[in-house]
Amino acid sequence: MREIAKDRTYPFFITYSSTFNTVAGTEEYTLTETNNQKLETVRITTDGYRRRLTPVRYDEFRATYPGVTYALNPGTPNLYYTTGRTTTNQLKMKFYPVPNAVYAIEYDYYVAPTAMATDTDVPVLPPLYQDMLIDYAMWKAYEHEREPNMTAYFQQQWQSKLLQLRSDYQYPETAERLNAQYEGEEVE
């Protein structure tokens, strides 16, 4: 499963609308999930509307705001950047400006698949592609046993199904930005 998750950001690995609240004057936040592979979108909800926050890398932030002092610039956040992970793999992030009030933050993220440990575990993959995992396991088993013909056969089977999966789930990186507008969207 990890090989498939590393291949692309497939929509069946996404979790929508996780939430937390900011605290006035607090600059860094730690997300609760330990399986957060990558943030997709972060939105802020304020009085009567919500909008998408702009993601930036820390070095881009420092280049744009070289002398910024967090405590002196509170306000409604409009961008965020990640600052690393905890020892338990929880993602850490900062907002700019530092929140000056309590704001609801919603975020969507790609899940790192969990290891399948028991016979009753069900893969996150769509049912049509779950047999890919068998092909992958057979490929690696025959590779370990140094059986080149069977290794090549199951490797080809797995790669063929991976190409089909890519084709069926073409999801351009910019699709979210084209399909969802949050800037000033009214909230009822």
Side-chain angles (χ1 to χ4, degrees):
M1 280 281 256
R2 284 179 288 196
E3 292 299 319
I4 296 168
K6 282 191 253 178
D7 180 56
R8 294 219 174 139
T9 51
Y10 292 104
F12 46 82
F13 285 125
I14 199 164
T15 297
Y16 292 101
S17 296
S18 298
T19 61
F20 70 91
N21 290 326
T22 64
V23 176
T26 301
E27 63 182 277
E28 187 167 56
Y29 297 86
T30 302
L31 303 181
T32 58
E33 302 84 16
T34 57
N35 65 346
N36 186 328
Q37 184 174 332
K38 173 182 145 183
L39 285 172
E40 173 64 10
T41 57
V42 177
R43 299 171 298 281
I44 186 169
T45 302
T46 61
D47 299 326
Y49 73 98
R50 67 181 179 172
R51 71 169 192 260
R52 184 174 189 264
L53 298 180
T54 304
V56 295
R57 291 190 338 253
Y58 179 72
D59 58 340
E60 291 173 343
F61 175 76
R62 277 292 168 216
T64 306
Y65 304 100
V68 72
T69 303
Y70 267 97
L72 300 178
N73 296 299
T76 303
N78 57 26
L79 60 86
Y80 72 94
Y81 59 90
T82 58
T83 58
R85 294 186 180 268
T86 66
T87 56
T88 56
N89 202 39
Q90 295 167 286
L91 191 63
K92 298 187 304 183
M93 64 189 325
K94 288 186 178 184
F95 296 104
Y96 183 77
V98 172
N100 62 351
V102 174
Y103 297 106
I105 302 293
E106 293 179 351
Y107 58 98
D108 309 326
Y109 66 95
Y110 286 95
V111 175
T114 57
M116 297 174 56
T118 68
D119 293 344
T120 58
D121 288 347
V122 178
V124 179
L125 288 171
L128 181 63
Y129 294 101
Q130 290 177 0
D131 62 339
M132 286 178 67
L133 301 177
I134 297 168
D135 292 332
Y136 185 81
M138 296 298 290
W139 165 25
K140 294 301 177 178
Y142 280 116
E143 188 175 62
H144 179 72
E145 294 296 321
R146 296 187 178 154
E147 293 281 342
N149 291 337
M150 295 305 287
T151 298
Y153 173 77
F154 282 107
Q155 180 182 18
Q156 186 276 329
Q157 289 291 99
W158 185 79
Q159 289 174 340
S160 174
K161 290 175 185 170
L162 182 62
L163 287 174
Q164 184 63 45
L165 178 70
R166 287 176 184 164
S167 174
D168 287 349
Y169 288 93
Q170 289 183 2
Y171 191 72
E173 292 291 326
T174 58
E176 189 275 337
R177 293 185 185 116
L178 295 174
N179 297 325
Q181 296 297 320
Y182 297 108
E183 191 67 42
E185 181 179 322
E186 293 294 323
V187 176
E188 295 179 18

